[in-house]
Amino acid sequence: MKAIESIPDRKLLLFKSCMVGQEYPGVETATRYVFDRLGIDYCVNDEQSCCTGIGHYTDIFEGLTTAAIAARNFAVARKCGYPNITCLCSTCYAINKEACELLNTNAEVRDKVNSIFKEKGFDDLVYEKGDMDSRTNFYHAVEILLSKVGQIKEAKKFDFSGVKAASHHACHYYKVKYLDVVGSPENPQLIDTIAEACGASPVRWYEDRTLTCGMGFSQLHLNKNTSLQVTKTKLDSLQRAGVELMLHMCPNCHIQYDRYQPVIEKEFGVKYDMVHMNIAQFVALSMGADPYKVCGFQTHSVPLEGFLEKTGIL
């Protein structure tokens, strides 16, 4: 298991996420807002490209293409001097770690990737075995926040005392790389611990807590009824637990709950009393961030105004 003490706060490449940028750009601006106030040394590099995650998991991109693009992104990180890749998206996190392991352990794949680079004249992108370490050069942004939970508690300007919050930790964080999870992979508590530092009252266990969000990438489109039924099962459990705020660490999970909660309410004739945020948005709010200019709540499907008014933010 990964130890909190081993998580760096310097030389972090904040890996831009396609789904964050497209769906919830406030997640990135909120993360940067928090990182800036915590004194975390990070950079954003415009040369970085997509991780191919959605295409990879929907069988559009085969493994070699994903490995080559990952190797290119790893070279970008190393060349700019920020080799600790820190992801806003759990899919980016899993894809990058898997690609790193593949490049380090499979000489055939590594040689094919490097031959492509050399053929095109991109010798500076060549990946040598061990250039990156899948366990020491890759982190989720939530891990960085967890390592600073004491500072977050001290830096908060708004206390969310009494807010009943629950977490969804994302399959691609705690199920794909099982042994690299901070804490217990059977019951991860990263988001809950961070939320508690902001004054919230986390529901640390509820029925169906470890159930997937239901997206499954292609499943949402190929088996939509089943996908939404899984999501409904989780929302029902949260409703029974009296949760008013669900906190996420992955834009894909965020989409499944926030975008499709109104769809489920209409199709199944139900009504839920909860709103959705990424944990970085929640931390940023507690530090005094603007709900719209920084956190970007205007991009959410489930309106947050009622929650913000109830808690005194608005």
Side-chain angles (χ1 to χ4, degrees):
M1 303 302 169
K2 192 181 295 179
I4 295 177
E5 296 77 17
S6 67
I7 298 173
D9 63 358
R10 306 193 65 77
K11 303 301 180 185
L12 305 177
L13 177 75
L14 191 60
F15 196 87
K16 293 174 74 68
S17 158
C18 297
M19 298 309 293
V20 166
Q22 177 178 304
E23 298 283 348
Y24 301 105
V27 171
E28 181 182 333
T29 51
T31 301
R32 295 173 70 168
Y33 180 95
V34 174
F35 277 14
D36 288 341
R37 280 148 187 79
L38 294 177
I40 292 171
D41 176 31
Y42 74 95
C43 81
V44 176
N45 193 314
D46 290 338
E47 292 184 20
Q48 175 230 312
S49 67
C50 171
C51 75
T52 80
I54 292 180
H56 179 80
Y57 285 119
T58 53
D59 297 325
I60 295 172
F61 283 91
E62 38 63 55
L64 183 63
T65 299
T66 294
I69 291 175
R72 179 193 172 278
N73 282 328
F74 299 166
V76 168
R78 294 195 308 276
K79 285 193 294 182
C80 74
Y82 284 76
N84 296 314
I85 292 178
T86 305
C87 301
L88 298 166
C89 170
S90 297
T91 298
C92 296
Y93 170 84
I95 282 284
N96 280 318
K97 285 172 72 71
E98 287 185 323
C100 182
E101 289 178 1
L102 183 64
L103 289 164
N104 282 340
T105 60
N106 192 312
E108 182 181 0
V109 170
R110 187 170 61 249
D111 289 344
K112 284 183 178 179
V113 167
N114 286 337
S115 68
I116 293 169
F117 291 154
K118 291 175 181 177
E119 180 184 337
K120 299 299 181 182
F122 299 136
D123 289 18
D124 58 331
L125 301 182
V126 167
Y127 185 91
E128 300 293 343
K129 181 179 179 179
D131 276 348
M132 303 283 280
D133 187 298
S134 66
R135 304 198 75 178
T136 60
N137 286 122
F138 298 90
Y139 301 87
H140 194 290
V142 170
E143 294 176 326
I144 309 300
L145 294 177
L146 182 68
S147 73
K148 298 293 183 182
V149 74
Q151 287 180 243
I152 289 172
K153 188 173 184 177
E154 293 177 1
K156 69 174 183 286
K157 295 181 179 179
F158 185 89
D159 195 323
F160 283 100
S161 294
V163 171
K164 201 169 184 180
S167 64
H168 180 78
H169 278 88
C171 297
H172 286 181
Y173 174 72
Y174 78 98
K175 292 181 180 178
V176 174
K177 292 301 171 189
Y178 194 78
L179 297 179
D180 292 351
V181 175
V182 174
S184 169
E186 301 293 343
N187 184 20
Q189 295 286 328
L190 291 78
I191 295 174
D192 306 74
T193 302
I194 298 166
E196 190 170 52
C198 298
S201 300
V203 180
R204 291 186 176 269
W205 185 260
Y206 56 91
E207 187 181 5
D208 300 311
R209 177 180 165 94
T210 58
L211 185 67
T212 173
C213 70
M215 174 177 270
F217 292 99
S218 59
Q219 295 305 309
L220 176 61
H221 306 288
L222 298 177
N223 299 295
K224 186 174 182 180
N225 288 338
T226 300
S227 174
L228 293 185
Q229 183 63 64
V230 171
T231 309
K232 179 180 181 297
T233 297
K234 186 105 172 200
L235 291 172
D236 287 345
S237 295
L238 292 161
Q239 186 82 345
R240 288 193 295 272
V243 170
E244 55 186 317
L245 171 64
M246 190 177 188
L247 295 168
H248 308 275
M249 62 185 289
C250 180
N252 300 299
C253 301
H254 202 157
I255 289 167
Q256 189 72 4
Y257 290 110
D258 175 64
R259 297 280 186 249
Y260 284 94
Q261 180 171 306
V263 175
I264 291 169
E265 288 177 331
K266 182 177 180 180
E267 292 192 6
F268 291 89
V270 293
K271 181 64 179 176
Y272 299 110
D273 301 316
M274 72 198 73
V275 295
H276 302 272
M277 290 184 202
N278 181 279
I279 182 61
Q281 292 173 308
F282 189 61
V283 175
L285 273 183
S286 76
M287 289 185 170
D290 186 281
Y292 303 104
K293 293 179 181 179
V294 175
C295 296
F297 289 147
Q298 65 271 28
T299 67
H300 291 220
S301 293
V302 177
L304 283 148
E305 281 67 27
F307 174 84
L308 297 174
E309 289 173 1
K310 178 183 176 181
T311 54
I313 293 289
L314 292 183

